[in-house]
């Protein structure tokens, strides 16, 4: 029976409180009564209650319908891929679940010979048709008797109980008393028996836990993963893919345990489909594990490139996220052709796929204006259905490259965050607003309305409570506003709150763990000391407390007091402004990562730094490490020319102006 339903509903979940949404579903009906239908919805059975006297319908499903729709659709699609391939037939639950397609037939003597199982088999169809809850007190005794009987049941009887449990209306919580009692007992019993089961049965039971949305908290899933990883050589390619699906659901598997899978992958990649490769990629991404062998990554890139026109958008996201997570910075050239090839597909993809392509390019440090413009246009067209979280991720990419797209994305984004329909989303992800203000600061754009909302004490407190790591972004915003927004009169941070950045700053020359940048700064400082006949007019410190790397200050006007003594006790959380009656230069030493890959295009953070140094009164001398001579003699000559030019002109020798800055309408 096919059923076409159209209805509206309000406040479908706490995460996204949309006031009204039109929901259309074409599902396979399993059984029905005059006002109730049980139908199959991807990986869950749902009970729909239709009222003839109203314009809406109420329903029950085994998980919140929209609470995690962006995360769940990956899992559901991955599961549908396995369900459609014959090699998974014996290890995947048959959809749709019905009373008749469990491991035991309803007329089986294995059911009738155990009174508790027989009772549960009789009450289950009644519960489905009458919308009964397992939490009703009248079922408590039955659940207790059933749990007591579990150790004596056969494997098929045990799995049949799990099958019946999947058909019940879901309990409010995983720890609702009756539901918890039953599933915990089943979980424990299955975990104890797993060593005696064949591979297909092990994976089949795991699939039932996926159906019930209990994988991440079940003892069985953890036991299964450990068991299969120990016996990886015995698994077929399909079983390895299904293992990766279970790992993806578990989210936490140590890197050392994943290495054996990495070794197995090399021999599998040419034998499984690109969609199955997407499932493997999900497993690595969700557990935050990287593939260390680039040859394996290269094979995935080649397959992805070859089949790009046929890949489902969900798989596209899975592979792009994986490639970003497993990025090998010494092999960026292998990623660039993929970035080029993906551009024509961006308009056909959904928002998530487009954003993750931009994020991959950003992670590669590859500045690709056409790619950024195309993704921005995609989000501008679909901004009403895009998550603010994903829009903010694109803003991160644009700010990283100091890129202003051709579309009206910026104006639309600034308008979107104030819509009432976005309140619940921002309540759940408040950090997106603070990051948005920070990314706009990189671009030199400040919307006072958004800044006031973000720096408001109540919002800051709420955001830090929900996302403690957001404290850094508030401090960075405050510094930027203090430097570049002279007419801003809204809330600001207390000095104590700014100290959160103290531990985040890079090392000073001479401190432990010196790197290439600090070594070059030491060399330049020594050469300047020779040129200026002493170090009294030289000071190395973090001028801008919100910027990671320190800089070299050179005082060009005479003063008898050495800078190092004048500013010995200067607070590290304060911006170091040059005195108004003196001329100070700042040698900004920029390493390769200050530029886009194989380019002289400065990234947004560096652009902002130079802009702000000039704003507070410094004459900026820009010294990229690639042009600083290795020879001390040549380096001294190089610096002397910079100083002479600076003294003669009174202007920076190399001043990177924010020429592409535009005023954004909000």
């Amino acid at each position: 029976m096919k059923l076409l339903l159209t209805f509206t509903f309000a406040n479908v979940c706490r995460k996204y409180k949309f006031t009204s949404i039109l929901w259309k579903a074409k599902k396979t009906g399993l059984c029905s009564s005059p006002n109730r239908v049980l139908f199959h919805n991807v990986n869950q059975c749902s009970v729909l209650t239709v009222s003839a006297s109203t314009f809406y319908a109420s329903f029950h499903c085994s998980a919140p319908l929209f609470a995690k729709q962006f995360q769940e659709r990956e899992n559901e699609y991955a599961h549908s891929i396995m369900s459609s391939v014959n090699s998974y037939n014996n290890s995947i639950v048959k959809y749709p679940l019905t009373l008749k397609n469990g491991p035991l037939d309803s007329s089986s003597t294995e059911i009738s010979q155990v009174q508790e199982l027989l009772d549960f088999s009789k009450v289950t169809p009644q519960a489905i048709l009458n919308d009964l809850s397992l939490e009703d007190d009248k079922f408590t005794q039955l659940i207790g008797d059933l749990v007591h009987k579990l150790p004596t049941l056969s494997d098929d009887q045990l799995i049949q109980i799990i099958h019946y449990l999947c058909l019940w209306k879901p309990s409010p919580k995983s720890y609702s008393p009756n539901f918890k009692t039953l599933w915990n007992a089943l979980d424990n019993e299955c975990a104890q028996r797993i060593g005696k089961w064949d591979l297909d049965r092990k994976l089949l039971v795991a699939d039932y836990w996926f159906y019930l949305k209990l994988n991440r908290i079940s003892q069985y899933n953890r036991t299964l993963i450990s068991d299969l990883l120990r016996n990886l050589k015995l698994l077929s390619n399909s079983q390895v893919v299904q293992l990766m699906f279970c790992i993806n659901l578990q989210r936490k598997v140590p890197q050392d345990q994943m290495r054996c899978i990495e070794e197995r992958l090399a021999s599998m990649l040419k034998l499984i489909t690109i969609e199955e490769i997407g499932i493997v990629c999900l497993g690595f991404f969700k557990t935050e594990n990287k593939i260390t062998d680039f040859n394996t990554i290269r094979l995935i890139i080649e397959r992805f490139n070859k089949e790009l026109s046929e890949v489902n958008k969900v798989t596209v996201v899975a592979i792009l996220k994986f490639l970003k997570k497993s990025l090998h910075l010494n092999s960026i050239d292998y990623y660039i052709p993929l970035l080029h090839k993906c551009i024509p597909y961006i308009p056909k993809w959904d928002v998530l796929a487009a954003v993750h392509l931009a994020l991959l390019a950003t992670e590669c440090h590859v500045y690709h204006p056409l790619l950024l413009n195309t993704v921005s246009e995609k989000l501008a067209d679909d901004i009403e259905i895009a998550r603010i979280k994903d829009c903010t991720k694109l803003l991160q990419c644009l700010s990283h490259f100091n890129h202003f797209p051709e579309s009206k994305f910026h104006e639309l984004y600034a308008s979107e965050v104030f819509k009432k329909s976005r309140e619940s989303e921002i309540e759940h992800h408040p950090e997106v607003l603070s990051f948005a203000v920070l990314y706009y600061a990189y671009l030199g754009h400040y919307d006072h309305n958004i800044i006031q909302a973000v720096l408001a004490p109540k919002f800051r407190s709420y955001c830090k409570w929900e996302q403690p790591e957001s404290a850094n972004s508030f401090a960075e915003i405050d510094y930027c506003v203090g430097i570049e927004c002279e007419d801003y009169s809204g809330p600001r941070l207390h000095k104590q709150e700014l100290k959160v950045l103290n531990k985040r700053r890079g090392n000073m020359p001479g401190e432990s763990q010196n790197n290439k940048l600090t070594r070059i700064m030491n060399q330049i400082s020594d050469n300047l000391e020779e040129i200026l006949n002493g170090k009294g007019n030289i000071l190395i410190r973090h001028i801008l407390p919100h910027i990671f790397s320190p800089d070299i200050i050179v005082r060009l006007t005479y003063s008898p007091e050495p800078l190092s003594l004048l500013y010995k006790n200067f607070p590290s959380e304060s911006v170091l402004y040059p005195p108004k009656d003196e001329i100070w230069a700042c040698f900004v030493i920029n390493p390769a990562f200050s530029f886009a890959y194989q380019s002289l295009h400065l990234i947004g953070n560096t652009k902002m730094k130079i802009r702000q140094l000039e704003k507070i009164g410094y004459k900026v001398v820009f010294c990229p490490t690639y042009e600083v001579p290795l020879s001390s003699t040549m380096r001294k000559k190089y610096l002397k020319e910079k100083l002479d030019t600076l003294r003669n002109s009174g202007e920076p020798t190399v001043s990177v102006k924010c020429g592409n800055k535009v005023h954004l309408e909000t």
Side-chain angles (χ1 to χ4, degrees):
M1 176 181 67
K2 294 290 183 182
L3 181 67
L4 183 64
L5 305 169
T6 304
F7 59 94
T8 62
F9 62 92
N11 296 333
V12 108
C13 70
R14 286 182 295 178
K15 181 176 178 183
Y16 297 104
K17 297 177 183 175
F18 300 108
T19 54
S20 180
I21 295 177
L22 189 65
W23 192 76
K24 297 181 179 180
K26 195 169 185 179
K27 308 297 177 189
T28 303
L30 306 183
C31 52
S32 64
S33 65
N35 68 338
R36 186 173 284 103
V37 178
L38 174 68
F39 67 93
H40 171 61
N41 176 23
V42 190
N43 71 337
Q44 59 197 35
C45 277
S46 301
V47 178
L48 175 70
T49 305
V50 183
S51 172
S53 62
T54 60
F55 295 104
Y56 62 88
S58 63
F59 58 94
H60 301 287
C61 58
S62 61
L65 187 62
F66 283 103
K68 294 183 179 179
Q69 67 174 14
F70 293 98
Q71 294 88 349
E72 294 299 336
R73 72 171 185 172
E74 289 180 322
N75 297 335
E76 291 169 349
Y77 179 74
H79 192 273
S80 71
I81 291 299
M82 296 186 294
S83 299
S84 65
V85 179
N86 290 336
S87 57
Y88 298 90
N89 281 350
N90 296 326
S91 59
I92 293 289
V93 175
K94 302 295 186 298
Y95 284 0
L97 265 72
T98 69
L99 292 166
K100 297 181 179 180
N101 64 354
L104 297 176
D105 187 83
S106 57
S107 60
S108 170
T109 56
E110 282 200 61
I111 292 179
S112 60
Q113 68 188 8
V114 179
Q115 187 61 46
E116 294 82 359
L117 176 55
L118 180 61
D119 292 343
F120 197 52
S121 71
K122 289 180 178 180
V123 77
T124 296
Q126 298 175 25
I128 294 172
L129 291 176
N130 297 304
D131 198 26
L132 303 178
S133 170
L134 195 66
E135 299 309 313
D136 287 352
D137 290 342
K138 60 185 175 182
F139 298 124
T140 302
Q141 183 63 46
L142 173 59
I143 297 303
D145 294 342
L146 198 57
V147 166
H148 181 72
K149 202 73 175 178
L150 291 184
T152 67
L153 300 182
S154 69
D155 293 338
D156 284 340
Q157 290 171 330
L158 186 70
I159 297 172
Q160 184 67 37
I161 294 174
I162 303 175
H163 186 91
Y164 285 146
L165 183 59
C166 292
L167 297 175
W168 279 69
K169 165 185 169 179
S171 296
K173 302 286 184 181
S174 63
Y175 49 83
S176 297
N178 284 350
F179 180 59
K180 180 182 178 182
T181 298
L182 182 54
W183 85 257
N184 274 1
L186 289 166
D187 185 39
N188 182 64
E189 190 64 31
C190 289
Q192 290 184 33
R193 300 188 188 194
I194 193 170
K196 301 176 183 178
W197 291 345
D198 62 28
L199 292 171
D200 283 338
R201 174 159 283 180
K202 291 175 181 178
L203 290 166
L204 178 66
V205 171
D207 203 47
Y208 273 111
W209 291 128
F210 169 65
Y211 199 98
L212 290 166
K213 304 294 184 187
L214 295 171
N215 298 76
R216 289 189 67 182
I217 59 175
S218 71
Q219 175 190 351
Y220 180 83
N221 206 51
R222 295 190 296 272
T223 305
L224 170 82
I225 291 170
S226 298
D227 177 84
L228 296 186
L229 286 175
R230 286 194 302 269
N231 299 285
L232 195 61
K233 293 181 180 179
L234 302 178
L235 274 62
S236 67
N237 289 341
S238 298
Q239 288 168 337
V240 172
V241 172
Q242 194 169 350
L243 168 60
M244 289 301 295
F245 178 73
C246 294
I247 287 174
N248 149 62
L249 299 172
Q250 187 64 40
R251 300 289 183 94
K252 290 184 180 180
V253 177
Q255 176 77 41
D256 58 339
Q257 293 186 28
M258 296 292 283
R259 287 200 183 98
C260 55
I261 293 183
E262 184 177 337
E263 294 170 5
R264 175 70 184 270
L265 274 181
S267 62
M268 285 176 51
L269 288 176
K270 293 182 180 180
L271 303 175
I272 60 178
T273 68
I274 189 65
E275 306 292 350
E276 288 174 302
I277 290 174
I279 297 173
V280 172
C281 290
L282 271 182
F284 277 95
F285 176 78
K286 291 293 178 65
T287 57
E288 299 185 356
N289 285 306
K290 298 181 179 181
I291 287 185
T292 54
D293 180 16
F294 185 74
N295 287 327
T296 303
I297 296 174
R298 182 176 52 79
L299 289 173
I300 293 175
I301 292 175
E302 289 174 358
R303 283 290 303 275
F304 190 40
N305 249 328
K306 185 179 179 180
E307 303 182 45
L308 192 56
S309 61
E310 303 169 6
V311 184
N312 181 277
K313 58 190 178 184
V314 179
T315 300
V316 167
V317 174
I319 294 177
L320 290 175
K321 290 197 293 189
F322 159 80
L323 291 176
K324 180 171 70 73
K325 184 67 180 179
S326 290
L327 185 69
H328 285 233
L329 290 174
N330 58 346
S331 303
I332 295 298
D333 289 337
Y334 284 93
Y335 296 83
I336 295 176
L338 175 63
L339 298 176
H340 290 318
K341 191 169 182 179
C342 286
I343 293 175
Y345 296 95
I346 293 172
K348 305 173 187 176
W349 289 347
D350 62 6
V351 164
L352 206 56
V355 168
H356 277 285
L357 181 64
L359 287 169
L360 177 60
T362 303
E363 196 74 16
C364 290
H365 229 45
V366 173
Y367 178 49
H368 201 309
L370 178 59
L371 187 153
L372 293 174
N373 284 337
T374 309
V375 174
S376 299
E377 186 175 346
K378 172 69 179 178
L379 262 73
D381 291 341
D382 294 346
I383 198 160
E384 290 187 356
I385 60 172
R387 294 185 302 175
I388 288 295
K389 184 178 179 181
D390 294 322
C391 294
T392 306
K393 287 179 180 178
L394 174 59
L395 181 56
Q396 173 191 355
C397 301
L398 298 175
S399 68
H400 178 79
F401 292 112
N402 199 63
H403 181 81
F404 288 83
E406 298 170 353
S407 69
K408 292 185 177 181
F409 169 75
H410 286 312
E411 292 90 333
L412 291 170
Y413 178 90
S415 171
E416 200 71 21
V417 295
F418 285 109
K419 288 185 177 179
K420 190 170 183 62
S421 59
R422 297 292 188 175
E423 288 179 0
S424 182
E425 186 181 357
I426 291 173
E427 181 182 350
H428 194 79
H429 291 289
E431 74 281 2
V432 298
L433 282 189
S434 61
F435 288 135
V437 172
L438 180 60
Y439 299 148
Y440 274 129
Y442 288 174
L443 294 167
H445 172 68
Y446 295 89
D447 184 315
H448 287 200
N449 290 329
I450 300 181
I451 295 171
Q452 287 180 8
V454 166
L455 292 186
K458 286 186 178 179
F459 179 80
R460 295 203 314 264
S461 298
Y462 174 73
C463 192
K464 291 175 187 178
W465 175 262
E466 290 287 318
Q467 298 289 341
E469 65 274 14
S470 65
N472 285 348
S473 63
F474 288 110
E476 292 181 75
I477 292 167
D478 191 84
Y479 280 117
C480 293
V481 169
I483 293 171
E484 300 199 82
C485 299
E486 296 176 357
D487 56 341
Y488 175 78
S489 59
R492 296 284 300 275
L493 271 64
H494 301 294
K495 286 186 177 181
Q496 191 64 29
E497 294 178 271
L498 299 175
K499 292 183 179 180
V500 70
L501 297 178
N502 286 353
K503 295 181 179 179
R504 202 198 61 168
R505 298 188 191 104
N507 290 331
M508 297 284 286
E511 293 179 349
S512 60
Q513 299 180 348
N514 277 347
N515 53 31
K516 181 180 179 181
L517 177 61
T518 55
R519 287 195 299 272
I520 293 176
M521 292 188 75
N522 264 330
Q523 294 168 353
I524 289 178
S525 178
D526 291 342
N527 289 137
L528 287 171
E529 185 179 337
E530 295 176 28
I531 296 170
L532 300 173
N533 299 315
K535 57 175 68 174
N537 290 315
I538 303 170
L539 180 65
I540 300 178
R541 66 162 288 130
H542 290 86
I543 300 173
L544 304 173
H546 55 296
I547 299 296
F548 178 80
S549 57
D551 300 295
I552 302 175
I553 300 170
V554 175
R555 183 172 54 193
L556 299 177
T557 47
Y558 173 76
S559 177
E561 195 74 28
L563 287 176
S564 58
L565 291 178
L566 279 173
Y567 295 95
K568 181 179 180 180
N569 297 316
F570 192 81
S572 61
E573 65 273 10
S574 297
V575 177
L576 180 51
Y577 286 80
K580 292 183 178 180
D581 57 347
E582 296 184 4
I583 299 175
W584 286 19
C586 174
F587 282 74
V588 178
I589 318 300
N590 284 93
F593 58 76
S594 297
F595 302 89
Y597 180 70
Q598 291 187 345
S599 165
L600 296 182
H601 181 87
L602 279 172
I603 64 171
N605 181 271
T606 304
K607 280 260 192 177
M608 179 186 73
K609 174 181 178 177
I610 293 171
R611 186 180 69 240
Q612 291 181 357
L613 286 171
E614 292 179 343
K615 177 77 174 177
I616 63 177
Y618 284 89
K619 305 300 181 183
V620 177
V621 182
F622 188 63
C623 299
T625 54
Y626 68 81
E627 75 173 24
V628 177
L630 297 176
S631 160
S632 178
T633 302
M634 295 300 294
R635 188 166 54 247
K636 186 176 177 180
K637 180 182 178 182
Y638 164 83
L639 295 171
K640 194 172 185 305
E641 289 174 354
K642 294 276 189 183
L643 285 171
D644 288 343
T645 305
L646 188 62
R647 284 184 176 126
N648 293 335
S649 65
E651 293 295 329
T653 55
V654 180
S655 179
V656 183
K657 301 290 185 182
C658 190
N660 59 346
K661 177 180 174 182
V662 297
H663 293 287
L664 308 177
E665 297 177 2
T666 57

